[in-house]
Amino acid sequence: MAERQEQAAPDAVLTRIGQVVMLHHAGDREEARHRYLGLWAEIGEHGDPLHRCTLAHYLADTQDDPADELAWDLRALTAADEAREEAVAVAAVIAIYPSLHLNLADDYLGLGRRDAARTHLRWAREAAAALADDSYGEGVWAAIGRLESRLGEGGTGTWTPPRQRP
């Protein structure tokens, strides 16, 4: 019984990250970056892979320098790979892979590295095939379409249900 309660208990670190996400979405980018960095210092480079993945994923969005954004997105992907290898929260990691690859594709496009952008866009498409037919899936597929358009790959920017994807 105690084990079940422990599994159902909210993750305090992910809750704290979520609170900073709300601050960032409310428009306080600098304070969000400061708080994210404070959380990163607590978690450390060898902390829980799911925590590092989630935190680095959001921290990337607060960077002013595109190279710094890329570095944080790469940290997020590395941590996701570690979490997947350790079978830690595999469902959460599988759901975040499309977004991680989309961010990396966007980073590389912003740095003028179109081939790397196309590679990560392809990986985002492949990872997105595992997403559910819900609002998150819709949002990811719409973002894939927008990035395809920016790369001149004929994307429509609209979501295609999983059953209709090539």
Side-chain angles (χ1 to χ4, degrees), residues 58-71:
Y58 287 114
L59 188 50
D61 294 337
T62 67
Q63 301 307 302
D64 295 323
D65 183 320
D68 291 339
E69 184 173 359
L70 173 62

Side-chain angles (χ1 to χ4, degrees), residues 4-5 7 23 32 34 36 44 48 56 61 64 81 100 116 126 128 147-148 152 155:
R4 262 196 241 152
Q5 287 176 343
Q7 290 173 348
L23 177 69
H34 174 74
Y36 284 141
D48 180 278
D61 294 337
D64 295 323
D81 290 342
L100 293 173
E126 291 170 7
L147 196 52
E148 287 171 339

Side-chain angles (χ1 to χ4, degrees), residues 39-100:
L39 284 168
W40 186 263
E42 286 179 37
I43 293 169
E45 290 191 30
H46 303 290
D48 180 278
L50 181 60
H51 294 163
R52 286 185 291 120
C53 173
T54 305
L55 183 54
H57 184 57
Y58 287 114
L59 188 50
D61 294 337
T62 67
Q63 301 307 302
D64 295 323
D65 183 320
D68 291 339
E69 184 173 359
L70 173 62
W72 282 107
D73 281 330
L74 287 170
R75 283 182 186 104
L77 183 61
T78 298
D81 290 342
E82 288 176 33
R84 193 170 186 178
E85 287 173 12
E86 295 176 10
V88 175
V90 173
V93 172
I94 288 171
I96 201 171
Y97 267 111
S99 183
L100 293 173

Side-chain angles (χ1 to χ4, degrees), residues 72-161:
W72 282 107
D73 281 330
L74 287 170
R75 283 182 186 104
L77 183 61
T78 298
D81 290 342
E82 288 176 33
R84 193 170 186 178
E85 287 173 12
E86 295 176 10
V88 175
V90 173
V93 172
I94 288 171
I96 201 171
Y97 267 111
S99 183
L100 293 173
H101 285 295
L102 273 170
N103 283 4
L104 285 163
D106 189 52
D107 295 342
Y108 284 122
L109 183 59
L111 291 168
R113 297 175 59 188
R114 295 179 75 79
D115 288 341
R118 283 187 180 95
T119 297
H120 281 280
L121 178 59
R122 184 179 73 248
W123 291 340
R125 279 189 217 104
E126 291 170 7
L131 295 178
D133 187 0
D134 59 13
S135 61
Y136 177 71
E138 279 184 41
V140 168
W141 281 102
I144 288 170
R146 288 189 301 273
L147 196 52
E148 287 171 339
S149 292
R150 288 178 53 210
L151 279 166
E153 295 195 0
T156 62
T158 59
W159 180 67
T160 306

